[in-house]
Amino acid sequence: MGSSPSSQKPDNIQETKSDFASISNDEWKKRLTSEQFYVARQKGTERAFTGEYWKTKTPGTYHCICCDTPLFESSTKFDSGTGWPSYYETIGNNVKTKLDLSIIFMPRQEVLCAACDAHLGHVFDDGPPPTGKRYCINSASLKLKPKE
């Protein structure tokens, strides 16, 4: 369902995971804005209803802000009412999930870029058909490339 074991290679990426693993926090800070760094590299969360893409309806593809891997198509975006961009399906194996126990009383599935391990958000099982998934993603982790 879009998530994958880390042994599977993400689709359509230029650099390998080891290339991104060698990038220091100082280098990420140079490449990203402070909010992008906080969210994508430090597992932060932007405030609801404040992100650039929570209500965007522009057709296109949403890519990872860190490594440019395509993650979500705009055709899978829906209004979840949560204040964050939400999608019901990922692009290929470009997204992975792992158990997030950072809030003791609320275990969740963290969503990560399969290529560079950027924190994207969380996935829940209350989304629309056909997948029933709600990938609740931070705008700061994304870059929209509009369809031409």
Side-chain angles (χ1 to χ4, degrees), residues 13-31:
I13 61 167
Q14 312 303 313
E15 300 175 75
T16 66
K17 185 175 173 127
S18 60
D19 294 334
F20 294 112
S22 66
I23 298 174
S24 69
N25 277 341
D26 286 340
E27 181 59 30
W28 282 121
K29 285 179 184 177
K30 290 177 188 171
R31 293 183 184 196

Side-chain angles (χ1 to χ4, degrees), residues 90-110:
T90 66
I91 295 176
N93 293 320
N94 294 354
V95 167
K96 65 181 181 178
T97 63
K98 80 174 196 186
L99 185 60
D100 175 0
L101 298 172
S102 62
I103 301 176
I104 292 294
F105 59 88
M106 193 171 90
R108 305 173 289 175
Q109 285 293 316
E110 179 184 10

Side-chain angles (χ1 to χ4, degrees), residues 53-56 62 73-79 85-87:
Y53 300 124
W54 76 270
K55 62 182 177 179
T56 300
Y62 291 87
E73 291 293 347
S74 61
S75 59
T76 67
K77 190 172 189 276
F78 67 99
D79 183 1
S86 297
Y87 309 85

Side-chain angles (χ1 to χ4, degrees), residues 1-142:
M1 200 48 62
S3 62
S4 66
S6 44
S7 62
Q8 284 187 310
K9 185 177 184 288
D11 301 326
N12 303 322
I13 61 167
Q14 312 303 313
E15 300 175 75
T16 66
K17 185 175 173 127
S18 60
D19 294 334
F20 294 112
S22 66
I23 298 174
S24 69
N25 277 341
D26 286 340
E27 181 59 30
W28 282 121
K29 285 179 184 177
K30 290 177 188 171
R31 293 183 184 196
L32 304 169
T33 68
S34 58
E35 183 179 31
Q36 290 167 342
F37 179 78
Y38 168 68
V39 172
R41 305 316 312 173
Q42 296 184 307
K43 300 183 186 296
T45 301
E46 64 198 12
R47 286 187 2 255
F49 304 101
T50 64
E52 181 179 1
Y53 300 124
W54 76 270
K55 62 182 177 179
T56 300
K57 296 187 185 318
T58 305
T61 304
Y62 291 87
H63 291 244
C64 177
I65 196 67
C66 295
C67 69
D68 204 33
T69 296
L71 304 170
F72 303 96
E73 291 293 347
S74 61
S75 59
T76 67
K77 190 172 189 276
F78 67 99
D79 183 1
S80 64
T82 63
W84 288 280
S86 297
Y87 309 85
Y88 62 79
E89 189 171 48
T90 66
I91 295 176
N93 293 320
N94 294 354
V95 167
K96 65 181 181 178
T97 63
K98 80 174 196 186
L99 185 60
D100 175 0
L101 298 172
S102 62
I103 301 176
I104 292 294
F105 59 88
M106 193 171 90
R108 305 173 289 175
Q109 285 293 316
E110 179 184 10
V111 178
L112 302 157
C113 174
C116 72
D117 281 336
H119 171 76
L120 304 174
H122 293 87
V123 63
F124 304 93
D125 291 324
D126 60 0
T131 65
K133 298 290 184 190
R134 173 173 53 96
Y135 291 87
C136 193
I137 306 299
N138 291 284
S139 292
S141 297
L142 300 173

